[in-house]
Amino acid sequence: MNPTPVSFGGEMDSGSAPNKYGQSNKGRISASKDTIYMGKRFNWDEFDRVRKAIWYLVHRENKKRIILDFKKSDIIYPNGIVPLIALVRTYQGMGVDFVITPPFSVDLNRLIRFEGWFHAIDPTRFNGPAVNGYNSLPLRQYTNDDELNFSVNEAIEVAIRNLSMAKNVPAALEWSLNELAGNVLHHAETSDGLLQVNTFKASGNLSLIVVDAGVGVPGSMMARFPDLRNDRVALEQAIQKGVTSKPNFGQGNGLAGCVAITLASKGQFALTSGGARVTVIDGKVAVRDFFPPLVGTVVELQLPISEEIDLPTALWGHSPSSYIEEKFSGDANTLRLSLTECAPTFGNRVTGEKVRNLIANLLKSDQSADLEIDFSGVKIIASSFADEVFGKLFLILGPLEFGSRIRYKEVNGTCKQIINSAIKERVSQGLDDV
């Protein structure tokens, strides 16, 4: 199942004016006694209403037990549920107990189990996230640099296998993830952060969200710049190049670089912390007040996969090294890919599509390099796999580029014959189904 994409507004009806719980009077969310009923779509707007309802029940009604009722929900957005997880954990640390009522939807429950969302709130009732399969990096909690680096590498692997992306999109994702998630460890003054990455083939986007329940960007900035008037001004300053609350840990280009990447890629960006929210949508940067203030920080980034990014220009001349370069580089002007490291078997089109996406991304990452595909340990491949990888690549790249840039190593006669037959048949069929 493909998780629902991050939304940056416009996904929800605005409804009528909020009631005392901070919720729409249209009844999409209502709080009764100790229960908060979720609407059909749980995205950022819905989270905003729910957090207000939680605040009211805890601070005005003195509730120590709250039921989060998702029975009628049929879509959950990462930028709704991940911030909710961080918020709930904060209140759990204050002694508030939360009970989750799962949705009726079988498909949504399957997605929730895979992503590990409810497990993060109640690990005794709900299973932990899956480790592979699907089209996203499930929710990851990290507490140190090693855990962060591992999660970022996992995210890049998910992206380059599920989507064929324009040049530098994987590197932009990697740089942004490292900067945004790294800020949590060095600036948020909290014990951990949450991150998630999703890929969306149908819409041609990939998204990331990073959340923490720390001191927040305004709190961190004002500790260093006490003259900042309010949270909105603090966020405006935080996204400027060279501005950092802790110069010992960096140069202050993380948030500014993510904004620059968003503008260069025609993507979308949102930073919410304390009493302010910054958005970058349709090439326009907007800053507004956010009330009541948000505990911690939520950062969302959505990148189109078809838009090539001039990363050095976007990052003021900086050309960061990438996971692709480090893992797949070989001799001069040669990239190397071991098939046995890509998948345990080579018998279906689903696996073939992921391998083809990986190869396409490798070729785009360095357009002057050749690719050596190592068949060591591969005794047989299915015709469907061969067609999905080599047949379709032959037509996508063209005979000249395919023949000049792709080489086989340790391929046996059977596999080579299957590949040649697949290419011949694919040439006669064309690429209507790609």
Side-chain angles (χ1 to χ4, degrees):
M1 175 177 291
N2 199 4
T4 308
V6 169
S7 63
F8 287 80
E11 295 287 339
M12 303 287 298
D13 293 334
S14 59
S16 53
N19 60 24
K20 67 179 181 178
Y21 298 104
Q23 301 145 6
S24 167
N25 289 322
K26 295 177 71 174
R28 301 202 45 194
I29 301 176
S30 61
S32 175
K33 296 183 179 178
D34 61 354
T35 301
I36 301 175
Y37 298 96
M38 312 301 171
K40 289 184 176 295
R41 292 172 173 262
F42 194 83
N43 69 355
W44 173 261
D45 293 334
E46 206 82 330
F47 159 72
D48 191 27
R49 297 184 183 106
V50 169
R51 76 184 182 97
K52 294 170 184 174
I54 293 174
W55 184 92
Y56 185 88
L57 291 176
V58 173
H59 297 284
R60 295 292 178 85
E61 299 290 336
N62 297 315
K63 299 294 184 181
K64 292 297 183 181
R65 180 179 183 274
I66 297 175
I67 298 173
L68 303 176
D69 192 327
F70 286 87
K71 285 200 299 287
K72 294 186 178 180
S73 298
D74 55 25
I75 296 177
I76 292 180
Y77 293 74
N79 74 336
I81 191 66
V82 181
L84 178 66
I85 291 167
L87 180 67
V88 166
R89 285 179 163 185
T90 299
Y91 279 108
Q92 286 173 330
M94 298 164 56
V96 181
D97 184 34
F98 287 84
V99 179
I100 296 175
T101 304
F104 289 131
S105 169
V106 174
D107 287 341
L108 183 54
N109 274 300
R110 186 181 300 117
L111 173 62
I112 290 168
R113 286 195 298 272
F114 168 76
E115 303 290 6
W117 289 331
F118 288 174
H119 172 79
I121 294 176
D122 187 351
T124 62
R125 287 185 59 205
F126 300 95
N127 293 330
V131 294
N132 52 38
Y134 295 77
N135 301 318
S136 72
L137 175 73
L139 182 68
R140 290 288 186 263
Q141 177 182 351
Y142 60 95
T143 61
N144 54 55
D145 286 326
D146 289 339
E147 291 177 352
L148 172 57
N149 291 337
F150 181 78
S151 295
V152 170
N153 290 345
E154 280 189 306
I156 301 306
E157 289 280 357
V158 167
I160 61 180
R161 279 169 165 75
N162 282 287
L163 300 171
S164 178
M165 294 173 277
K167 184 179 180 181
N168 284 336
V169 174
L173 169 67
E174 180 180 356
W175 189 90
S176 300
L177 257 181
N178 277 314
E179 291 293 328
L180 296 176
N183 280 346
V184 175
L185 299 177
H186 300 303
H187 297 280
E189 299 180 21
T190 185
S191 60
D192 59 45
L194 300 173
L195 69 84
Q196 184 163 357
V197 173
N198 296 87
T199 66
F200 307 104
K201 181 180 178 182
S203 62
N205 290 298
L206 62 85
S207 70
L208 68 89
I209 182 166
V210 176
V211 180
D212 71 75
V215 298
V217 175
S220 181
M221 289 288 292
M222 290 178 181
R224 177 167 171 77
F225 306 105
D227 293 337
L228 293 173
R229 298 192 309 276
N230 52 47
D231 290 5
R232 189 182 67 254
V233 175
L235 259 63
E236 289 175 338
Q237 285 292 106
I239 63 173
Q240 301 300 313
K241 181 180 181 298
V243 177
T244 176
S245 64
K246 294 184 178 180
N248 291 337
F249 288 109
Q251 298 176 327
N253 294 333
L255 290 173
C258 290
V259 170
I261 286 172
T262 303
L263 293 170
S265 67
K266 302 177 183 177
Q268 295 184 336
F269 174 87
L271 164 64
T272 310
S273 188
R277 178 171 170 85
V278 176
T279 58
V280 181
I281 302 174
D282 295 331
K284 298 178 181 178
V285 180
V287 186
R288 65 177 178 84
D289 293 325
F290 191 76
F291 186 83
L294 177 76
V295 175
T297 302
V298 177
V299 188
E300 313 159 53
L301 177 61
Q302 186 165 291
L303 298 174
I305 63 173
S306 59
E307 194 74 28
E308 181 175 329
I309 302 174
D310 186 345
L311 204 53
T313 297
L315 297 179
W316 313 285
H318 177 55
S319 183
S321 61
S322 70
Y323 174 77
I324 288 179
E325 292 174 349
E326 294 174 1
K327 180 173 181 178
F328 300 100
S329 62
D331 297 333
N333 293 324
T334 301
L335 299 168
R336 287 199 171 92
L337 174 66
S338 171
L339 276 186
T340 56
E341 293 181 4
C342 294
T345 62
F346 310 97
N348 58 73
R349 289 190 178 276
V350 174
T351 302
E353 182 181 15
K354 293 182 183 299
V355 174
R356 171 164 51 82
N357 286 333
L358 175 56
I359 292 173
N361 288 319
L362 292 179
L363 293 173
K364 291 173 187 174
S365 70
D366 187 347
Q367 295 177 336
S368 66
D370 299 334
L371 175 64
E372 181 181 84
I373 302 175
D374 189 348
F375 282 77
S376 297
V378 180
K379 296 180 180 179
I380 188 71
I381 60 176
S383 296
S384 59
F385 175 88
D387 174 55
E388 195 67 34
V389 179
F390 301 101
K392 292 184 178 180
L393 272 176
F394 186 87
L395 288 193
I396 292 171
L397 299 175
L400 183 60
E401 184 174 4
F402 185 95
S404 63
R405 297 192 67 191
I406 294 180
R407 303 195 303 268
Y408 308 136
K409 178 182 178 182
E410 300 295 332
V411 61
N412 62 37
T414 301
C415 290
K416 193 169 184 178
Q417 182 178 0
I418 292 171
I419 291 171
N420 290 337
S421 296
I423 291 175
K424 183 177 180 181
E425 186 170 349
R426 175 52 59 179
V427 168
S428 66
Q429 292 177 353
L431 282 171
D432 292 340
D433 59 338
V434 175

